[in-house]
Amino acid sequence: MDYAFFSHFLQLSSPQTLIILSVLVGIFFVIKKMYDRQISFSLRMLFALFVGLLFGFILQHLADYPNANAAKEIIWYAEAKHWFAFFSAVFVAFIKMLVIPLIFACIVKVIIEIDKDIKISSLLGVSLFWILFSTALAAIVGLSLAVVFDLGENIALSEGARQIREITTLTSILQNLIPSNIINVMSKENIIAIVIFAFLIGICAKSVSKNAKYEKSFKSFRNLVKTFYAIMMQMTGAVIHFMPYAVVCMMANVLLSNGFEAIKIVGIFIVLTYVAMFVMFGVHFVLLLLQGLNPFIYFKKAFPVLLFAFSSRSSVATLPLSISTLQDRFGVSSAVANFVASIGTTTGLNGCAGYFPAMAAVLVANLLGVQIDFSFALMIVLVAVLGSLGIAGVPGSATMAASIMLAGIGFGENFMLLSLVLAVDPIVDMARTASNVSGAMTSALCTAKNLKALDKTLYNQ
């Protein structure tokens, strides 16, 4: 039989390649058994992270730590890298498949339902301002830290030629935000334009619903949006379920492609993530101080909530504790506490949608050799803020936020460069969740103060 069929088409010309793939299948089987025994997702992710690292290290050792040119001459090494890249690319393709319909469904649903239980329009406006403002500050923090510490600089990659980004004017950036052709902007993954279009759909649908003539039709439209949203949530959950399998391949592939230099990148990223968490705590303190509230009292009373958020890695699981603390210990009115804390678990996430995707954007830009100028930085902040509305209620929200960010700034095809960062997601997720919850509570306190819905006597006790 023609040798080229196995070597060039199947990429299975070496016995070592078959052994490596057999080991990979065995690892997948172990992860499946872990799921069957209801072992938590975070533990499965950590297992995949360390197994993928170990697998990549062993293969590098067996190949005697080759450089990029020598690696191409080792047949089994090149074929193993090909298959790892294939499995990783399949997962990434499914993630990217969800981005556009997910954003559209989330935002339209949020708009048509946002005031279902809210009667005071000022509550909506003020709360969203503080939530999105804090997210913008978080994005600036992440962007600044990544730029100052040259995240991803001076790293030689085998991903291809480095890119040069054309410098655009502010007016061109703003003009491109207008979705002149919605089909075209969807195909180009223009995230901000899609967010604007979805907002307009939601706002106009709500306006139409006030007309008795369309009341019945609007109910059908709302049910359609809710059903589509539920379908997208189901699909997203199904894709995220396979993330541990992809992480094994991502980690092994990154080590085979870039060697141990890649470990340096992820180490710096983890450290900067925790630095960003503490910086955002400082930002929240300043926001409270500007509202005439003692930030040290806030920290003392909020610490149990933040500790639970840090350890549980779930904003939603922390929600009951957040609401009760806001009402009973800070003196926030029931309406403000319930509304702001609730939407703060899914919208304007300071960690997941703020500094994390901003740092990811700078990392990818530096890896590709793209110059980071003011217009590029502005676009990162805009995508972070608007993207935080488009990941509402999404499981694996940080992964989706990173995907939305890269698509929004034109790097959607380079999502694979985040393999290492996504692989250590459980480690950085603790910091992100604590930032998310602190941001939501700070926004609730600022909103309550602005609307005179805060009992300062109870706050200061």
Side-chain angles (χ1 to χ4, degrees):
M1 187 174 289
D2 190 359
Y3 175 78
F5 176 75
F6 290 97
S7 61
H8 298 301
F9 182 70
L10 291 182
Q11 292 283 320
L12 289 172
S13 62
S14 170
Q16 291 97 319
T17 306
L18 294 175
I19 294 173
I20 291 170
L21 291 180
S22 298
V23 172
L24 183 62
V25 170
I27 294 171
F28 287 171
F29 179 77
V30 172
I31 295 175
K32 175 62 169 60
K33 285 297 181 182
M34 293 175 71
Y35 171 77
D36 292 340
R37 294 187 179 185
Q38 299 183 334
I39 294 175
S40 69
F41 180 79
S42 60
L43 288 178
R44 281 181 278 139
M45 282 287 290
L46 287 173
F47 173 80
L49 165 65
F50 289 113
V51 169
L53 276 173
L54 180 62
F55 203 4
F57 172 79
I58 291 173
L59 294 180
Q60 278 246 325
H61 178 72
L62 292 175
D64 198 22
Y65 309 100
N67 57 35
N69 292 327
K72 295 177 183 178
E73 304 299 323
I74 305 174
I75 296 176
W76 66 265
Y77 192 91
E79 291 180 346
K81 192 170 77 168
H82 169 83
W83 281 103
F84 288 140
F86 167 73
F87 289 122
S88 302
V90 167
F91 176 77
V92 171
F94 274 109
I95 286 287
K96 292 174 65 178
M97 174 190 71
L98 298 170
V99 170
I100 302 301
L102 190 59
I103 290 176
F104 187 83
C106 285
I107 291 180
V108 174
K109 179 178 179 292
V110 165
I111 295 300
I112 64 176
E113 291 191 335
I114 200 163
D115 68 345
K116 185 169 59 175
D117 299 315
I118 302 299
K119 297 179 181 179
I120 306 174
S121 59
S122 57
L123 172 59
L124 174 62
V126 174
S127 60
L128 282 180
F129 166 78
W130 284 112
I131 287 173
L132 298 182
F133 179 63
S134 64
T135 303
L137 293 177
I140 292 172
V141 167
L143 176 69
S144 302
L145 285 173
V147 170
V148 168
F149 288 93
D150 296 326
L151 185 62
E153 280 278 12
N154 303 318
I155 303 297
L157 292 179
S158 58
E159 297 289 340
R162 290 177 171 261
Q163 302 177 6
I164 299 177
R165 196 177 66 89
E166 180 183 355
I167 298 176
T168 56
T169 63
L170 176 62
T171 53
S172 297
I173 293 174
L174 296 177
Q175 184 178 342
N176 289 333
L177 301 183
I178 309 302
S180 58
N181 184 326
I182 190 59
I183 303 300
N184 188 40
V185 298
M186 285 184 174
S187 67
K188 291 183 177 180
E189 297 181 320
N190 187 337
I191 301 300
I192 297 179
I194 294 167
V195 169
I196 292 174
F197 181 73
F199 257 110
L200 291 174
I201 291 287
I203 291 170
C204 292
K206 286 193 67 62
S207 179
V208 168
S209 70
K210 297 175 183 178
N211 190 329
K213 179 181 177 181
Y214 299 106
E215 184 177 352
K216 187 175 180 181
S217 300
F218 175 75
K219 288 181 179 179
S220 299
F221 174 74
R222 184 172 60 189
N223 290 334
L224 173 64
V225 171
K226 290 172 68 175
T227 302
F228 182 63
Y229 173 82
I231 292 171
M232 292 310 304
M233 291 300 100
Q234 188 73 19
M235 289 179 62
T236 303
V239 172
I240 295 297
H241 166 74
F242 287 97
M243 193 169 178
Y245 301 91
V247 163
V248 175
C249 299
M250 286 177 173
M251 294 301 296
N253 183 53
V254 168
L255 277 179
L256 294 186
S257 300
N258 304 306
F260 290 95
E261 191 67 36
I263 303 300
K264 176 183 176 182
I265 300 177
V266 74
I268 296 173
F269 196 96
I270 292 173
V271 171
L272 290 182
T273 298
Y274 279 85
V275 170
M277 177 187 73
F278 287 111
V279 172
M280 282 311 300
F281 286 161
V283 170
H284 297 156
F285 285 9
V286 172
L287 292 178
L288 292 172
L289 195 60
L290 292 175
Q291 294 296 316
L293 301 175
N294 189 325
F296 296 104
I297 292 177
Y298 164 77
F299 180 74
K300 179 181 177 181
K301 294 183 177 182
F303 180 75
V305 183
L306 300 180
L307 183 61
F308 181 78
F310 184 86
S311 57
S312 68
R313 297 174 49 236
S314 173
S315 298
V316 175
T318 312
L319 183 58
L321 187 57
S322 300
I323 293 175
S324 63
T325 301
L326 285 169
Q327 291 183 212
D328 302 334
R329 304 202 66 191
F330 288 124
V332 177
S333 70
S334 176
V336 174
N338 281 276
F339 178 70
V340 182
S342 296
I343 65 172
T345 62
T346 58
T347 303
L349 306 174
N350 285 192
C352 290
Y355 58 73
F356 176 77
M359 289 168 59
V362 174
L363 170 63
V364 172
N366 283 335
L367 290 175
L368 295 174
V370 175
Q371 181 183 2
I372 301 174
D373 52 24
F374 177 76
S375 63
F376 185 68
L378 179 62
M379 183 61 72
I380 289 176
V381 176
L382 284 174
V383 173
V385 172
L386 295 180
S388 71
L389 296 170
I391 60 170
V394 177
S397 56
T399 303
M400 293 305 304
S403 179
I404 290 170
M405 173 60 76
L406 294 188
I409 61 176
F411 291 158
E413 296 301 317
N414 302 108
F415 188 81
M416 286 293 294
L417 294 179
L418 292 181
S419 297
L420 267 176
V421 172
L422 296 179
V424 296
D425 189 74
I427 299 174
V428 297
D429 194 35
M430 294 183 291
R432 291 194 312 238
T433 306
S435 300
N436 294 342
V437 172
S438 182
M441 295 182 71
T442 301
S443 298
L445 286 165
C446 292
T447 301
K449 182 67 166 53
N450 294 159
L451 298 178
K452 296 181 168 60
L454 177 67
D455 185 347
K456 287 196 69 174
T457 303
L458 180 56
Y459 179 92
N460 291 319
Q461 283 183 356

